[in-house]
Amino acid sequence: EMEAKYTRKMQALRDEMDLRRKTEIHELEERKNTQISELMGNHEGAFGAIKNYYNDITAKNLTLINLLKEQVEDLKKKEAVLEKEKADVLLQNKGLTEPLQEAQELVAALQKKLVHYYRDKEALMNSKAHLKITQKELKDLQWEHEVLEQRFSKVQAERDELYQKFTRAINEVQQKTGFKNLLLERKLQGLLSLLEQKEVELSEVLAASNLDPSALSLVSHKLEDVLSSKNATIQDLQLQLARVCKAHNDMLQTFEAKLTAFGIPLDNLGFQPLSFPFPGQ
């Protein structure tokens, strides 16, 4: 029974689906026929428009061809007239050729002469201008020569005066520096001699006094303080001497540079820079 029931349902569904399919096919055919009819109508309208367009173009081209034929006929007539005028002009030109050739030759010769004339005229003007410039340059050079001679004389006088002043200043500085260095060296030698003498005397005093170790240590400390003070004094004196020598050498270098700037030779300087009295200071 169930099989029969579902068989009936299946048959009913098939019938329904067949009916629906036939209905949809019928609708599709109707829509297709409608579209075909519309397309054919559109194509016929477009074909008619194109046909009319090309008919218009053909008519216009025929009109234009007829117009151009008329213009060609007119141009041929004008060409015949121009050919006749051309023949007349050629005959006239033949009669004017010889006078024209003679006139052209004459013009060419005159142009050559004119070119030479302008060239000579320009060369003359350039020569005059160059002569004026040369004369002006000569005057300027003569004036500059006189000015340079005066300046040279003035510079020579200034150089001689500076050389004399420099020589005097060098001699004075050398004397002062030498005297100061001599005093410092003598003072240093005196202090060294005094230090040696004091050390000898101290040794003798310590040997003769037979002091106890504590007193001897106290005296030694005091002596070391005195010696340190003296050594500091000696170092200060050595430093002052080195500074004086360096200042002297710097001044000599400055003077040598000035001499070189003024063109004075260094061979006639007459002395050498002082060296440092103590190596390493």
Short mmCIF file of all heavy atoms in Angstrom, two decimals, residues 246-275:
data_model
loop_
_atom_site.label_atom_id
_atom_site.label_comp_id
_atom_site.label_asym_id
_atom_site.label_seq_id
_atom_site.Cartn_x
_atom_site.Cartn_y
_atom_site.Cartn_z
N LYS A 246 113.79 82.13 26.32
CA LYS A 246 112.72 81.89 25.35
C LYS A 246 112.18 83.21 24.79
O LYS A 246 111.92 83.34 23.59
CB LYS A 246 111.59 81.10 25.98
CG LYS A 246 110.51 80.69 24.99
CD LYS A 246 109.46 79.84 25.64
CE LYS A 246 108.43 79.38 24.59
NZ LYS A 246 107.83 80.46 23.85
N ALA A 247 111.99 84.21 25.67
CA ALA A 247 111.52 85.51 25.19
C ALA A 247 112.51 86.12 24.21
O ALA A 247 112.13 86.71 23.19
CB ALA A 247 111.30 86.45 26.38
N HIS A 248 113.82 85.93 24.52
CA HIS A 248 114.85 86.46 23.63
C HIS A 248 114.78 85.77 22.26
O HIS A 248 114.82 86.42 21.21
CB HIS A 248 116.21 86.24 24.28
CG HIS A 248 117.36 86.71 23.43
ND1 HIS A 248 117.62 88.03 23.20
CD2 HIS A 248 118.30 86.02 22.74
CE1 HIS A 248 118.67 88.15 22.41
NE2 HIS A 248 119.10 86.93 22.11
N ASN A 249 114.63 84.43 22.28
CA ASN A 249 114.55 83.69 21.00
C ASN A 249 113.29 84.05 20.21
O ASN A 249 113.31 84.17 18.99
CB ASN A 249 114.59 82.19 21.28
CG ASN A 249 115.94 81.74 21.81
OD1 ASN A 249 116.95 82.38 21.58
ND2 ASN A 249 115.94 80.64 22.56
N ASP A 250 112.15 84.20 20.91
CA ASP A 250 110.91 84.60 20.21
C ASP A 250 111.06 85.96 19.56
O ASP A 250 110.59 86.19 18.44
CB ASP A 250 109.74 84.62 21.21
CG ASP A 250 109.39 83.22 21.69
OD1 ASP A 250 109.78 82.25 21.01
OD2 ASP A 250 108.73 83.10 22.75
N MET A 251 111.71 86.87 20.27
CA MET A 251 111.91 88.21 19.70
C MET A 251 112.80 88.13 18.46
O MET A 251 112.55 88.80 17.45
CB MET A 251 112.54 89.11 20.75
CG MET A 251 112.74 90.55 20.28
SD MET A 251 113.63 91.53 21.47
CE MET A 251 115.18 90.70 21.49
N LEU A 252 113.84 87.27 18.52
CA LEU A 252 114.72 87.12 17.35
C LEU A 252 113.97 86.54 16.17
O LEU A 252 114.16 86.96 15.02
CB LEU A 252 115.91 86.22 17.72
CG LEU A 252 116.96 86.86 18.66
CD1 LEU A 252 118.06 85.85 18.93
CD2 LEU A 252 117.53 88.12 18.06
N GLN A 253 113.09 85.56 16.42
CA GLN A 253 112.30 85.00 15.32
C GLN A 253 111.39 86.05 14.69
O GLN A 253 111.22 86.11 13.48
CB GLN A 253 111.46 83.84 15.84
CG GLN A 253 112.29 82.61 16.20
CD GLN A 253 111.43 81.47 16.75
OE1 GLN A 253 110.22 81.62 16.88
NE2 GLN A 253 112.07 80.35 17.09
N THR A 254 110.80 86.93 15.54
CA THR A 254 109.96 88.00 15.02
C THR A 254 110.76 88.96 14.16
O THR A 254 110.34 89.37 13.07
CB THR A 254 109.30 88.76 16.19
OG1 THR A 254 108.56 87.82 16.99
CG2 THR A 254 108.34 89.81 15.66
N PHE A 255 111.96 89.32 14.65
CA PHE A 255 112.83 90.24 13.88
C PHE A 255 113.26 89.60 12.57
O PHE A 255 113.31 90.26 11.52
CB PHE A 255 114.05 90.63 14.71
CG PHE A 255 113.75 91.62 15.80
CD1 PHE A 255 114.57 91.74 16.90
CD2 PHE A 255 112.61 92.43 15.73
CE1 PHE A 255 114.28 92.65 17.90
CE2 PHE A 255 112.32 93.33 16.72
CZ PHE A 255 113.15 93.45 17.82
N GLU A 256 113.58 88.28 12.59
CA GLU A 256 113.96 87.61 11.35
C GLU A 256 112.81 87.61 10.34
O GLU A 256 113.01 87.79 9.14
CB GLU A 256 114.39 86.18 11.66
CG GLU A 256 115.74 86.10 12.38
CD GLU A 256 116.09 84.66 12.75
OE1 GLU A 256 115.27 83.78 12.48
OE2 GLU A 256 117.18 84.45 13.31
N ALA A 257 111.59 87.40 10.84
CA ALA A 257 110.43 87.43 9.94
C ALA A 257 110.25 88.82 9.34
O ALA A 257 109.95 88.97 8.14
CB ALA A 257 109.17 87.02 10.70
N LYS A 258 110.42 89.86 10.14
CA LYS A 258 110.32 91.23 9.62
C LYS A 258 111.42 91.50 8.59
O LYS A 258 111.17 92.13 7.55
CB LYS A 258 110.41 92.22 10.77
CG LYS A 258 109.19 92.23 11.69
CD LYS A 258 107.97 92.71 10.95
CE LYS A 258 106.77 92.78 11.86
NZ LYS A 258 105.55 93.22 11.13
N LEU A 259 112.64 91.02 8.88
CA LEU A 259 113.73 91.23 7.92
C LEU A 259 113.41 90.52 6.59
O LEU A 259 113.65 91.07 5.51
CB LEU A 259 115.04 90.69 8.50
CG LEU A 259 115.68 91.52 9.63
CD1 LEU A 259 116.89 90.80 10.18
CD2 LEU A 259 116.06 92.90 9.12
N THR A 260 112.90 89.30 6.69
CA THR A 260 112.55 88.59 5.46
C THR A 260 111.44 89.31 4.69
O THR A 260 111.47 89.38 3.46
CB THR A 260 112.08 87.16 5.82
OG1 THR A 260 113.12 86.51 6.55
CG2 THR A 260 111.79 86.37 4.55
N ALA A 261 110.47 89.88 5.42
CA ALA A 261 109.37 90.60 4.76
C ALA A 261 109.89 91.84 4.04
O ALA A 261 109.37 92.20 2.97
CB ALA A 261 108.31 90.99 5.78
N PHE A 262 110.91 92.49 4.60
CA PHE A 262 111.46 93.71 3.96
C PHE A 262 112.61 93.41 3.01
O PHE A 262 113.21 94.32 2.47
CB PHE A 262 111.92 94.69 5.02
CG PHE A 262 110.80 95.43 5.71
CD1 PHE A 262 110.38 95.07 6.97
CD2 PHE A 262 110.12 96.44 5.06
CE1 PHE A 262 109.33 95.72 7.60
CE2 PHE A 262 109.08 97.10 5.67
CZ PHE A 262 108.68 96.74 6.95
N GLY A 263 112.94 92.12 2.81
CA GLY A 263 113.98 91.77 1.86
C GLY A 263 115.39 91.97 2.37
O GLY A 263 116.33 92.07 1.58
N ILE A 264 115.59 92.02 3.69
CA ILE A 264 116.93 92.21 4.26
C ILE A 264 117.53 90.83 4.53
O ILE A 264 116.88 89.97 5.13
CB ILE A 264 116.85 93.03 5.57
CG1 ILE A 264 116.23 94.40 5.26
CG2 ILE A 264 118.24 93.19 6.18
CD1 ILE A 264 115.98 95.22 6.49
N PRO A 265 118.76 90.54 4.09
CA PRO A 265 119.36 89.22 4.32
C PRO A 265 119.61 88.97 5.80
O PRO A 265 119.90 89.89 6.57
CB PRO A 265 120.66 89.27 3.51
CG PRO A 265 120.97 90.72 3.37
CD PRO A 265 119.67 91.43 3.33
N LEU A 266 119.54 87.68 6.20
CA LEU A 266 119.72 87.30 7.60
C LEU A 266 121.18 87.01 7.96
O LEU A 266 121.49 86.78 9.13
CB LEU A 266 118.88 86.06 7.91
CG LEU A 266 117.37 86.18 7.67
CD1 LEU A 266 116.69 84.85 7.94
CD2 LEU A 266 116.78 87.26 8.55
N ASP A 267 122.05 87.01 6.93
CA ASP A 267 123.46 86.67 7.21
C ASP A 267 124.14 87.75 8.05
O ASP A 267 125.10 87.46 8.79
CB ASP A 267 124.22 86.48 5.89
CG ASP A 267 123.65 85.32 5.09
OD1 ASP A 267 123.04 84.43 5.72
OD2 ASP A 267 123.78 85.32 3.85
N ASN A 268 123.67 88.99 7.92
CA ASN A 268 124.31 90.10 8.64
C ASN A 268 123.68 90.36 9.99
O ASN A 268 123.78 91.46 10.53
CB ASN A 268 124.21 91.37 7.79
CG ASN A 268 124.92 91.22 6.46
OD1 ASN A 268 125.93 90.51 6.38
ND2 ASN A 268 124.41 91.85 5.41
N LEU A 269 123.00 89.36 10.57
CA LEU A 269 122.35 89.58 11.86
C LEU A 269 123.36 89.81 12.97
O LEU A 269 123.14 90.64 13.85
CB LEU A 269 121.47 88.37 12.18
CG LEU A 269 120.48 88.52 13.33
CD1 LEU A 269 119.51 89.66 13.05
CD2 LEU A 269 119.70 87.24 13.57
N GLY A 270 124.50 89.05 12.97
CA GLY A 270 125.58 89.36 13.90
C GLY A 270 125.57 88.56 15.17
O GLY A 270 126.50 88.67 15.97
N PHE A 271 124.57 87.73 15.45
CA PHE A 271 124.54 86.93 16.69
C PHE A 271 123.58 85.78 16.48
O PHE A 271 122.80 85.77 15.56
CB PHE A 271 124.14 87.77 17.90
CG PHE A 271 122.84 88.49 17.71
CD1 PHE A 271 121.64 87.88 18.04
CD2 PHE A 271 122.80 89.77 17.17
CE1 PHE A 271 120.45 88.54 17.85
CE2 PHE A 271 121.61 90.43 16.98
CZ PHE A 271 120.44 89.82 17.32
N GLN A 272 123.66 84.80 17.41
CA GLN A 272 122.81 83.62 17.38
C GLN A 272 121.86 83.66 18.57
O GLN A 272 122.19 84.24 19.61
CB GLN A 272 123.65 82.33 17.44
CG GLN A 272 124.53 82.13 16.23
CD GLN A 272 123.71 81.89 14.98
OE1 GLN A 272 122.63 81.33 15.05
NE2 GLN A 272 124.24 82.33 13.84
N PRO A 273 120.67 83.03 18.49
CA PRO A 273 119.76 82.97 19.64
C PRO A 273 120.35 82.22 20.81
O PRO A 273 121.18 81.32 20.63
CB PRO A 273 118.54 82.24 19.07
CG PRO A 273 118.63 82.40 17.60
CD PRO A 273 120.09 82.45 17.29
N LEU A 274 120.01 82.64 22.00
CA LEU A 274 120.49 81.99 23.20
C LEU A 274 119.86 80.62 23.37
O LEU A 274 118.66 80.44 23.08
CB LEU A 274 120.17 82.83 24.44
CG LEU A 274 120.90 84.20 24.51
CD1 LEU A 274 120.44 84.95 25.75
CD2 LEU A 274 122.40 84.02 24.56
N SER A 275 120.63 79.65 23.85
CA SER A 275 120.08 78.32 24.13
C SER A 275 119.71 78.23 25.60
O SER A 275 120.21 79.01 26.43
CB SER A 275 121.13 77.24 23.77
OG SER A 275 122.30 77.43 24.55
#
